Amino acid sequence: MVSDRHSDLLTAHGIRPTANRILVVRALFAADRPMSLTELEHKLLTLDKSGIFRALTLFRDNHLVHVIEDGGGSVRYELCMSDGDADDDLHVHFYCERCRRTFCIDNVPVPVVPLPAGYAPETVNYMIKGLCPSCSVK
């Protein structure tokens, strides 16, 4: 059953599965791209913005979602498919400056950036901006 898979995903990340959390995970799982809080709010009409935000914050704290600054002034969320505390599924994202959508480029890993001694990176946000295939032909 689909909701069992979503419940298992929450449990695997140390999150108690509630009806609202399952709805948020289901929406993120079904999305073909990272989603903003506003997009999730329009998709999940039975939940208010604060409930969605609380779930996303809990998911972030438990490494269930990546938080992506899309370069267009918005924050987007996508499910993290790694296990445990390390984000080993980091990949490049593409922000279309015309349609303002953010896409996962799953087959392109984030390159390793050598940092000077003393720097300790905690997150990586690798964003390329331009026009998506749909917008570039218009």
Side-chain angles (χ1 to χ4, degrees):
M1 182 181 220
V2 172
S3 61
D4 288 341
R5 179 173 47 178
H6 299 128
S7 294
D8 292 345
L9 184 61
L10 288 164
T11 302
H13 285 270
I15 301 168
R16 187 172 57 86
T18 64
N20 289 351
R21 293 171 186 164
I22 291 169
L23 287 174
V24 175
V25 165
R26 185 181 299 150
L28 289 169
F29 192 82
D32 60 347
R33 60 188 175 80
M35 297 183 72
S36 69
L37 177 60
T38 302
E39 290 170 325
L40 285 165
E41 186 180 15
H42 287 115
K43 191 174 237 9
L44 301 169
L45 299 175
T46 59
L47 297 178
D48 64 7
K49 184 183 269 188
S50 64
I52 297 168
F53 184 75
R54 281 192 306 273
L56 292 170
T57 300
L58 181 65
F59 295 173
R60 181 204 62 211
D61 293 345
N62 287 278
H63 305 281
L64 179 56
V65 294
H66 293 292
V67 179
I68 304 156
E69 298 166 20
D70 71 4
S74 182
V75 173
R76 298 187 182 273
Y77 303 88
E78 72 174 328
L79 285 178
C80 176
M81 294 305 172
S82 62
D83 294 326
D85 293 337
D87 290 337
D88 58 6
D89 69 336
L90 292 177
H91 52 270
V92 172
H93 292 90
F94 186 92
Y95 176 77
C96 180
E97 294 179 314
R98 184 171 291 156
C99 67
R100 299 174 191 246
R101 293 185 300 165
T102 301
F103 302 89
C104 293
I105 312 297
D106 291 320
N107 57 344
V108 179
V110 173
V112 175
V113 177
L115 295 174
Y119 288 87
E122 297 204 4
T123 63
V124 175
N125 186 22
Y126 198 96
M127 181 70 62
I128 298 172
K129 296 181 187 181
L131 297 178
C132 70
S134 297
C135 291
S136 65
V137 297
K138 292 180 184 177

